[in-house]
Amino acid sequence: MRQFKIVFLFELKRFISAKSYWIITGILMLLLIVSISFPRMRGFFEELFNTSSDITDRETQTSILLVNGTEGLLSKKQRKVLQYVWGRTFPESRVELIDGSEDMCRHEVNSGNADCAFFFINTSSYTYYVKTLEMTDRRTSRADEALKKYQVMIVLQDADVKEEAIDEIVETEITHVTINLGTDQQKNFFYAYIMVMILYMVIIYYGQSIMTGVAFEKSSKAMELLVTSVDPTSMIFGKILAASASSLLQISLTACSAVLSYRLNGNLWREGSLVNTVMNMPGWIFRYMLLFFLLGFILYAFLYGAAGSTVTKMEETGQASLPITTILIAGLFVSLFSMTENSMDSLLFRACSYFPFTSPMVMFSRIAMSEVSEYQIAVSVAILIVSVILIGIISAKIYRAGVLVYGKRLTIRTMLTAVFFSK
Amino acid sequence: MFLEIKNVYKSYGTKEVLKGISFETGSGTALGILGRNGAGKTTIIRILMNVFAADRGEILIDGEPVDYRTVSFGYLPEERGLYPKRTIIEQLVYFAELKGMTRKEAVKAVEYWLRRMELSDQGNRKLETLSKGNQQKIQFITALTHDPDIIVLDEPFSGLDPVNAGVLKEIVREQIEEGKIVIFSSHQMNYVEEFCDRIAIIHQGVISITGDLYTIKREYLRNKLVIRSKDIEQIRSIYKDNTEKMGSHELQFTVPANEKAQDVMVRIINEFEIDEIRVYEPSLNDIFIEYTSEQDDKEGEGAA
C-alpha cells in the first residue's frame, strides 16, 4: 500500500506536470465556454454589425415554385385552392403557381430562381425538385399534408359546405401533451451518445499515454531498477489509478468551465436545445455515467499498461495496442448502432451489456435508453468490478514478464506462462 | 552477514545460461564477478537481485534463504536508465522512498549523496540536461541512498573519466570499510584488482575459478622474477638462457629448478645495481585470459 501511494503520487505528478496536459485542458475548457456562450456571442456580433434578424429573414426568404404539369386539367377554383393551401403550409416562403414542364423545374431550381419546385401531373402525386437536399429538409412531409388538405377542401367545396366551416375543419390547430412514464429515449440518446464518445476518446488518449509511459520506461531501461524496488502490482495499480485521477481532474475542470459558462448563458438557449438537455442531466444518469466511465476507463488502462510492457521499441506501441483498440471500437459500434437503430433489447446488445469490455458503453446506453432492472445493473457492475481486479492482477504479471524482455516482442506463450505460473 | 550462491541453474528457452553456479562472500568484502561477454554475469546478478528466479539453486544469507523484505540491496544495473524528463532530486527521492525510506530521510540522504558526488547545484535540473558521466553518478546514487547491506554494481566504471571514476572508487572503498558486501561485475580488470578481495570467474555458465584473489595468485608457480635495472644487458649476457626482455630496463628471470627464488634474488642484488626485484605474480588479466580461453569457446550472444 505504501509503495502504491508513492508510485501513484510520482505518476500523477508525471501526468499533471506535462505542458500538453494543461494545453489540452485549456483548449477543451475554452471550446466549451465558447460553445455554450454562442447565443450571447451571436447577439453581440449582430449588435456590432447592426444587423437585425428581420432583414436577414427577408433576404433569406425562400421561394417555392408550384409547377402545374396537368396540361389544363386544373380548374381555376382548384388552382386557387392549391395556391391557398401551399401558402398556408409554407408561410415563411414565397409560393408561386405556374404552368410548365419538368425541364422548367430543373432549370428554375438550378439557376437559383427558385429554392425548390413541386411538379404536379395530377393532384395526388408530385415530384419534388431541390438543389441540395438538406438533412433537416421536411418540405415533402409538409407538402403531403398540404395536398391532403387540398383534397378535403375540394371535396367539401363540391359538397357546398360553407367556406367558414371548411376553414374550421382544415385549419383547426391540434395540440397534444406527452406524459412519459418510462424512459425518455429522445433526451437520453444524447446522454448515452455523449458518455460513449467521451469514454472512447478518453480511453484512446490516456490509454496511449499510459502505454507510451510504460514503453518509455522500458526503452529508457529505468525498468530494471524499478522491478527490483517495487512489486509489480503496486507499480501498475499506482500507474493506472494515477492516470485515472488525472483524466478525472481534466474532465472535472472542463465540466466546471461548462457549468460556469452555462450559469451565465443558460437562459439564452431555447428549451429543448442540446445544451439545455445536456446541462440538465438527471442526477441518476450522471451517477451511472460516472460509475461506468471510471470502471471502463480503469479496465482499458490496465490493458494498455500491460501492452506497453510487451513492446521493446516505441514504434511497436501501435501494433501492440491494436487488439485493445479493436475491442474498444467494437463496443463503440455496438452501442452507437443499437442506439440509432433503437434495438436496445436485442440479444447482442443485452449480451454486450454484461461483457466487461463492452459493458461500460453498452450497459450505460441501455440504462439511459430503455428499461433495465436494478438487478441486471448490479450483475453488470459486479462483473465489471471483478474483471477490473482480475485484469489488474493479470496485467501486473504480464507487465512483470514483459518489462525485462529486451530485443524481441513478448510472445503469447511467455505471457500465458507468466499469467498462470508466476508467483 | 554471509552471502552464498548455491548451485544456481538458469535457462532461456533451450539455452542453458547458468549450469550450477556457486560462490560466496561476506561483509566488508568486495567480490568481483568476471567473465567474457555472454558468460552469464548479468544473469546471475539479476537472479541475485530477484529480477527473475533461478530454475534451480539457492541464495542464502547466513545460511537462510534470502528474504528480500528484510535484507536491503543497492543495485546499479548494467542497463542504465532513469527518467530523463524528471528532476534529479525528484527521482532519487522516489527510488529511496520505494526502498522504504520516509520522505524526510530520503531527501536528507539524497542531499548528502549529491554533495558527495559534487552535484549539489544540479539537483533541480532535469536528468537529460546532465553529461553522461554525471548521469551515471546519479544512477550510482540510487544504489546507495537507502544505505543497503548488499551493493551490486554491474560495470560501475564503464564510461567514466578518471576523475569521476576516482570519486566513485573512494565511495566504493568506504562502503567496503563500512562492512557492506559489494559485488562487482566488470571487464575492467584493473578496477576489480584494486577493490576485490575475492573473485569468481564465470565461463560458459560455470564457475571456472573462485576464491581469495591473493591466494589464487600465490597458487601460481613462483619461479619467475621481475628485475628492473640499468644493467639489463649485462644480466642478459650472463644469464641468457633464463632471461626474457620485457622493456628497455626490465626483464623477466626464470629461476632454475634446482634453485630457490630468494637465493637468486640475493645473488643478483649483490652482483648488479638493481632498482627493483620481485617475484612475478600473474595479473588478474593473465588469470582471466587463462581461465576464459583455455576451454572450448562456443558461447552465443545470449541475454546475459
Side-chain angles (χ1 to χ4, degrees):
Chain A
M1 198 60 201
R2 190 183 164 273
Q3 287 197 325
F4 161 76
K5 195 178 133 200
I6 297 166
V7 175
F8 176 82
L9 292 174
F10 186 76
E11 290 293 324
L12 186 64
K13 203 172 167 197
R14 174 169 87 87
F15 280 109
I16 62 175
S17 63
K19 265 189 212 140
S20 60
Y21 179 85
W22 292 107
I23 291 171
I24 289 171
T25 311
I27 291 172
L28 287 174
M29 287 169 79
L30 199 69
L31 266 178
L32 277 178
I33 290 173
V34 170
S35 316
I36 294 173
S37 320
F38 182 69
R40 187 178 295 280
M41 283 165 46
R42 190 176 55 192
F44 172 76
F45 282 114
E46 275 173 1
E47 219 167 88
L48 190 70
F49 297 111
N50 205 14
T51 54
S52 87
S53 54
D54 280 358
I55 294 169
T56 319
D57 277 0
R58 217 174 301 137
E59 279 174 350
T60 59
Q61 193 182 32
T62 52
S63 81
I64 296 177
L65 214 54
L66 288 175
V67 180
N68 177 18
T70 58
E71 294 176 357
L73 282 181
L74 280 186
S75 68
K76 203 174 173 191
K77 188 180 81 182
Q78 284 171 318
R79 293 175 72 107
K80 198 179 147 198
V81 174
L82 195 61
Q83 174 105 39
Y84 169 77
V85 286
W86 233 265
R88 296 281 295 185
T89 309
F90 299 99
E92 74 285 0
S93 306
R94 202 173 59 243
V95 180
E96 200 185 337
L97 176 63
I98 52 166
D99 293 331
S101 62
E102 285 195 82
D103 286 343
M104 184 185 176
C105 293
R106 276 201 192 90
H107 177 262
E108 290 298 299
V109 172
N110 268 331
S111 64
N113 292 337
D115 290 289
C116 63
F118 293 91
F119 178 75
F120 296 92
I121 40 169
N122 55 53
T123 53
S124 59
S125 69
Y126 63 87
T127 311
Y128 177 56
Y129 288 90
V130 66
K131 199 164 183 181
T132 308
L133 187 63
E134 289 171 8
M135 259 178 82
T136 52
D137 193 332
R138 298 275 176 276
R139 283 199 190 112
T140 49
S141 55
R142 286 162 80 188
D144 292 354
E145 282 296 310
L147 215 50
K148 266 188 199 149
K149 242 184 223 180
Y150 162 84
Q151 306 285 11
V152 172
M153 281 180 83
I154 294 293
V155 170
L156 292 174
Q157 275 183 5
D158 288 349
D160 286 334
V161 178
K162 281 184 187 164
E163 211 159 289
E164 295 80 30
I166 296 175
D167 276 352
E168 205 173 312
I169 292 167
V170 297
E171 297 301 338
T172 307
E173 286 272 336
I174 312 291
T175 60
H176 75 274
V177 174
T178 307
I179 295 176
N180 183 14
L181 300 175
T183 311
D184 184 347
Q185 279 203 352
Q186 280 176 4
K187 260 190 184 174
N188 291 1
F189 173 79
F190 290 122
Y191 303 140
Y193 189 83
I194 287 170
M195 148 80 175
V196 166
M197 288 316 288
I198 292 181
L199 182 59
Y200 172 75
M201 287 189 291
V202 170
I203 287 175
I204 289 282
Y205 175 71
Y206 271 91
Q208 290 293 340
S209 173
I210 290 165
M211 192 169 172
T212 46
V214 172
F216 185 76
E217 259 169 8
K218 197 175 160 182
S219 68
S220 78
K221 310 286 179 351
M223 206 49 94
E224 195 159 341
L225 201 55
L226 277 172
V227 295
T228 57
S229 309
V230 54
D231 79 279
T233 315
S234 300
M235 187 76 211
I236 200 154
F237 274 79
K239 263 178 194 300
I240 297 322
L241 295 181
S244 313
S246 64
S247 77
L248 216 56
L249 176 68
Q250 194 167 44
I251 293 168
S252 306
L253 286 173
T254 317
C256 280
S257 70
V259 169
L260 201 72
S261 182
Y262 184 71
R263 284 260 164 97
L264 297 171
N265 303 295
N267 55 342
L268 299 173
W269 287 92
R270 67 178 170 76
E271 187 68 23
S273 65
L274 176 64
V275 169
N276 266 334
T277 312
V278 172
M279 297 309 287
N280 293 310
M281 184 186 290
W284 65 273
I285 288 208
F286 180 72
R287 284 190 289 276
Y288 277 126
M289 188 186 262
L290 201 64
L291 176 70
F292 280 103
F293 177 85
L294 272 180
L295 290 174
F297 176 82
I298 294 171
L299 183 79
Y300 274 95
F302 276 127
L303 292 181
Y304 276 107
S309 70
T310 65
V311 304
T312 52
K313 285 187 228 113
M314 296 300 279
E315 306 88 88
E316 290 169 2
T317 51
Q319 203 188 343
S321 67
L322 197 65
I324 307 166
T325 314
T326 309
I327 301 173
L328 182 66
I329 291 175
L332 177 80
F333 271 99
V334 170
S335 298
L336 293 183
F337 182 74
S338 301
M339 275 193 274
T340 49
E341 289 294 306
N342 203 10
S343 55
M344 286 287 146
D345 294 312
S346 70
L347 185 65
L348 172 72
F349 205 58
R350 271 186 290 161
C352 287
S353 68
Y354 296 104
F355 182 57
F357 296 107
T358 48
S359 67
M361 287 176 176
V362 177
M363 188 44 124
F364 178 75
S365 308
R366 275 189 70 197
I367 293 171
M369 294 185 64
S370 75
E371 297 295 324
V372 189
S373 70
E374 282 178 8
Y375 146 78
Q376 287 179 323
I377 299 172
V379 170
S380 175
V381 171
I383 293 174
L384 195 51
I385 290 174
V386 171
S387 307
V388 165
I389 296 168
L390 275 179
I391 295 283
I393 294 166
I394 291 171
S395 297
K397 288 186 173 181
I398 294 177
Y399 175 85
R400 186 73 170 77
V403 289
L404 290 165
V405 177
Y406 299 117
K408 57 181 192 301
R409 281 281 301 277
L410 191 68
T411 59
I412 303 279
R413 193 172 151 220
T414 322
M415 252 188 262
L416 292 176
T417 313
V419 170
F420 293 108
F421 300 109
S422 70
K423 279 178 264 176
Chain B
M1 194 176 269
F2 195 71
L3 169 73
E4 289 168 90
I5 310 288
K6 266 188 160 174
N7 221 13
V8 168
Y9 287 81
K10 177 77 188 173
S11 301
Y12 293 123
T14 52
K15 188 174 184 241
E16 199 170 30
V17 180
L18 302 181
K19 304 164 189 168
I21 295 276
S22 300
F23 57 83
E24 54 194 40
T25 183
S27 293
T29 313
L31 167 82
I33 299 177
L34 305 171
R36 292 176 58 180
N37 296 332
K41 302 187 294 291
T42 299
T43 304
I44 188 68
I45 283 179
R46 284 180 173 167
I47 289 170
L48 175 63
M49 288 307 302
N50 200 26
V51 170
F52 43 66
D55 298 340
R56 262 188 294 157
E58 287 178 302
I59 296 171
L60 306 173
I61 298 274
D62 297 330
E64 299 290 320
V66 60
D67 180 354
Y68 288 93
R69 287 165 303 178
T70 53
V71 179
S72 73
F73 283 81
Y75 183 33
L76 177 75
E78 185 192 21
E79 302 275 10
R80 314 267 200 267
L82 293 167
Y83 296 93
K85 305 262 177 220
R86 304 295 287 262
T87 68
I88 288 156
I89 287 186
E90 200 182 353
Q91 52 192 310
L92 285 177
V93 169
Y94 175 57
F95 281 108
E97 280 187 286
L98 287 178
K99 289 286 190 185
M101 290 180 113
T102 64
R103 192 167 183 84
K104 210 171 151 188
E105 288 167 349
V107 171
K108 209 172 147 192
V110 165
E111 280 170 357
Y112 166 79
W113 281 110
L114 284 175
R115 245 190 341 269
R116 277 301 307 271
M117 297 282 184
E118 298 159 3
L119 290 170
S120 291
D121 53 339
Q122 313 281 318
N124 290 315
R125 286 176 61 180
K126 283 185 182 169
L127 185 71
E128 63 184 0
T129 62
L130 262 58
S131 68
K132 201 177 159 216
N134 281 341
Q135 286 191 28
Q136 176 132 336
K137 280 157 87 177
I138 298 297
Q139 183 103 38
F140 204 78
I141 296 177
T142 60
L144 299 171
T145 28
H146 55 292
D147 196 23
D149 305 315
I150 299 171
I151 302 167
V152 180
L153 308 170
D154 204 346
E155 292 289 352
F157 298 105
S158 66
L160 285 182
D161 65 46
V163 178
N164 277 332
V167 175
L168 259 54
K169 272 200 288 195
E170 194 187 318
I171 291 167
V172 173
R173 228 174 250 126
E174 271 174 26
Q175 297 292 318
I176 298 168
E177 278 164 23
E178 280 175 27
K180 307 282 173 69
I181 294 178
V182 176
I183 293 173
F184 227 96
S185 148
S186 184
H187 282 121
Q188 288 160 296
M189 300 298 154
N190 53 332
Y191 288 121
V192 178
E193 204 156 14
E194 210 170 317
F195 291 113
C196 297
D197 318 298
R198 300 180 66 79
I199 57 162
I201 295 179
I202 304 180
H203 187 60
Q204 295 182 345
V206 294
I207 295 279
S208 53
I209 186 168
T210 182
D212 181 80
L213 183 57
Y214 180 74
T215 315
I216 290 171
K217 284 183 175 179
R218 296 275 303 177
E219 279 168 1
Y220 274 77
L221 269 180
R222 302 174 64 79
N223 65 342
K224 284 196 173 93
L225 302 176
V226 177
I227 301 167
R228 192 155 57 82
S229 165
K230 66 179 179 59
D231 301 333
I232 288 290
E233 294 307 325
Q234 263 180 285
I235 302 172
R236 284 200 73 191
S237 63
I238 296 168
Y239 299 99
K240 45 178 162 311
D241 295 338
N242 303 65
T243 56
E244 192 182 328
K245 200 170 176 187
M246 290 170 76
S248 54
H249 296 286
E250 208 167 78
L251 57 77
Q252 199 177 68
F253 188 106
T254 308
V255 180
N258 56 354
E259 283 192 82
K260 279 186 177 170
Q262 280 78 3
D263 297 340
V264 176
M265 281 162 93
V266 170
R267 196 170 69 231
I268 288 177
I269 289 168
N270 289 336
E271 286 177 11
F272 305 97
E273 197 179 329
I274 300 296
D275 298 329
E276 183 190 353
I277 184 163
R278 62 182 161 83
V279 176
Y280 170 80
E281 276 188 341
S283 67
L284 184 56
N285 206 42
D286 298 331
I287 298 171
F288 180 81
I289 291 169
E290 185 185 336
Y291 279 92
T292 58
S293 57
E294 68 183 19
Q295 298 161 42
D296 186 21
D297 272 343
K298 276 186 188 167
E299 42 192 339
E301 294 296 310

